[in-house]
Amino acid sequence: MMDQQCIDSIINVISKSNMADLDFINTDIIPITCEIDEDGKEKHTIHMSFYECMYSKAELSEAWVAGNLLLFTVFDGYLENIYHLTEGASFKEHYNNLPGSTPIEMIGKNCYRVFKIIRNGIQHNLSNVNYKAGNYNISYCHRNTPYALQISKNGVRYLYTLIMNIIKGKIEGTYGKYQTSGHYDGIMYTLHTDMLKEITQISDDIGTCLLVIPNGLKLRAFVRYPVENPTILEEDDASIIFHHIENNVTDDESSNQYYCSTDYIYKDYLLPQEIGVITKGKGDSVQERMKSATIRFEKSCLDDKWKLKF
């Protein structure tokens, strides 16, 4: 059975390869400190972090056969350890013995099943794996059972990212106190939902449908701005209203350009924009509307899952 040291070593190799840059999605955390200046105006200080790689990265994303086998091996080994799966048992048996009572467990099972098809196709039927520009089209028959998978490049990125987040127990890119369990669940649900949109065909020895995950809260997975000391406009026993800080070029949440969310630190909680109610300000431009936009949170939502991680 693969021990933790081996798992950590393989994850380290993958993280230092160009798969980390090209095939994984990081959630950028960009903290904002809100202050009132001497003129009584609200001032925002954005804290950016920069990381410069000083070493040459192995091109695992180009060696896609090796990259897939390596990542699947460490994922399977991780699941064996966590759930005490039988070493040497078939991947189907491993899948059947994975728990699936929570949304996160069901997401893990779906990822394992999709990746199992890619792994087995590469290992045993490579000539039937059509890999082009990051997209996979797999189709073959084994023991009278059709195996097929069509998944886009973006779908593979979501798949790899979900798996890495599961193994690490955190959302890639998040750090410190901003890693609440609610953010983990919400971002994982979003990534999984987006992955499913990129799968147009699946068939294996289990069936032709993936597990249906119960509807959950979707948190934006690309950029999040946690605000320290947000301006409180109103507060009572039932709710709290902050001045809303909009970080998108639009305030139309249905727009494809709307991909950032603001989180508000209140006491020991990190409240995501998605659970609040935004009231837009007046004006013809986003800039004008931002000046008086507000967001209201019900205090009943002050749940442990939103507690800051100290």
Side-chain angles (χ1 to χ4, degrees):
M1 185 169 288
M2 189 179 296
D3 60 26
Q4 189 60 47
Q5 185 175 2
C6 183
I7 291 172
D8 292 342
S9 179
I10 295 175
I11 289 298
N12 186 49
V13 169
I14 294 173
S15 298
K16 290 183 177 179
S17 75
N18 66 343
M19 283 184 72
D21 297 328
L22 302 177
D23 297 326
F24 295 97
I25 298 168
N26 276 359
T27 299
D28 291 330
I29 302 295
I30 306 175
I32 297 175
T33 300
C34 185
E35 300 172 302
I36 304 299
D37 65 19
E38 55 188 20
D39 297 322
K41 295 182 178 180
E42 189 172 291
K43 181 179 70 173
H44 303 154
T45 302
I46 298 177
H47 305 277
M48 302 291 291
S49 60
F50 298 94
Y51 173 74
E52 183 177 358
C53 179
M54 302 301 292
Y55 52 84
S56 177
K57 294 192 173 183
E59 295 185 355
L60 272 181
S61 66
E62 299 301 321
W64 56 273
V65 169
N68 276 294
L69 294 178
L70 194 60
L71 184 55
F72 181 84
T73 298
V74 73
F75 187 37
D76 186 58
Y78 167 83
L79 295 174
E80 277 190 354
N81 285 354
I82 293 296
Y83 299 115
H84 308 290
L85 304 177
T86 302
E87 185 178 12
S90 69
F91 296 140
K92 181 180 180 181
E93 185 175 335
H94 277 186
Y95 172 86
N96 288 336
N97 286 307
L98 289 175
S101 58
T102 69
I104 291 297
E105 290 173 347
M106 295 171 74
I107 287 171
K109 290 195 74 161
N110 277 348
C111 289
Y112 187 81
R113 185 173 161 204
V114 172
F115 208 6
K116 175 177 73 71
I117 297 174
I118 296 176
R119 183 269 177 197
N120 285 347
I122 288 173
Q123 186 72 35
H124 303 297
N125 296 274
L126 187 56
S127 61
N128 291 308
V129 177
N130 184 357
Y131 173 79
K132 186 176 182 180
N135 306 293
Y136 286 87
N137 186 346
I138 300 171
S139 181
Y140 64 92
C141 190
H142 178 66
R143 294 180 180 175
N144 296 320
T145 299
Y147 291 79
L149 177 69
Q150 290 185 15
I151 183 171
S152 72
K153 178 179 180 179
N154 282 336
V156 174
R157 289 189 73 207
Y158 292 127
L159 173 67
Y160 289 172
T161 302
L162 285 163
I163 288 169
M164 190 65 81
N165 289 345
I166 290 170
I167 294 173
K168 289 192 171 185
K170 64 184 286 290
I171 301 297
E172 282 287 277
T174 63
Y175 61 91
K177 63 184 180 181
Y178 308 116
Q179 303 175 77
T180 77
S181 62
H183 282 77
Y184 179 85
D185 290 350
I187 291 175
M188 289 289 282
Y189 180 73
T190 297
L191 293 170
H192 178 265
T193 301
D194 291 341
M195 179 188 76
L196 294 184
K197 296 175 183 176
E198 304 297 327
I199 298 174
T200 54
Q201 183 182 15
I202 184 168
S203 175
D204 61 2
D205 52 352
I206 297 167
T208 57
C209 297
L210 291 167
L211 296 175
V212 177
I213 311 298
N215 288 334
L217 176 66
K218 293 179 66 176
L219 298 185
R220 293 181 182 89
F222 290 98
V223 184
R224 305 198 67 88
Y225 291 84
V227 182
E228 299 269 2
N229 194 35
T231 299
I232 298 175
L233 301 176
E234 294 182 35
E235 181 175 8
D236 56 29
D237 291 340
S239 64
I240 182 167
I241 299 175
F242 300 105
H243 171 227
H244 176 54
I245 301 174
E246 185 59 73
N247 292 292
N248 293 279
V249 296
T250 175
D251 54 4
D252 178 6
E253 293 189 77
S254 65
S255 170
N256 290 333
Q257 293 180 299
Y258 201 100
Y259 58 88
C260 303
S261 279
T262 306
D263 296 324
Y264 295 86
I265 295 177
Y266 175 74
K267 297 183 178 179
D268 293 334
Y269 299 91
L270 184 65
L271 303 177
Q273 170 181 317
E274 290 86 347
I275 67 171
V277 177
I278 296 173
T279 300
K280 296 181 183 180
K282 296 180 179 180
D284 295 327
S285 68
V286 176
Q287 290 73 22
E288 288 177 310
R289 294 192 294 272
M290 281 175 56
K291 292 178 182 178
S292 55
T294 66
I295 184 167
R296 186 184 80 250
F297 294 95
E298 300 299 325
K299 287 190 174 177
S300 59
C301 73
L302 298 179
D303 191 272
D304 283 350
K305 66 183 177 182
W306 304 121
K307 277 200 169 182
L308 294 161
K309 185 176 181 179
F310 291 106

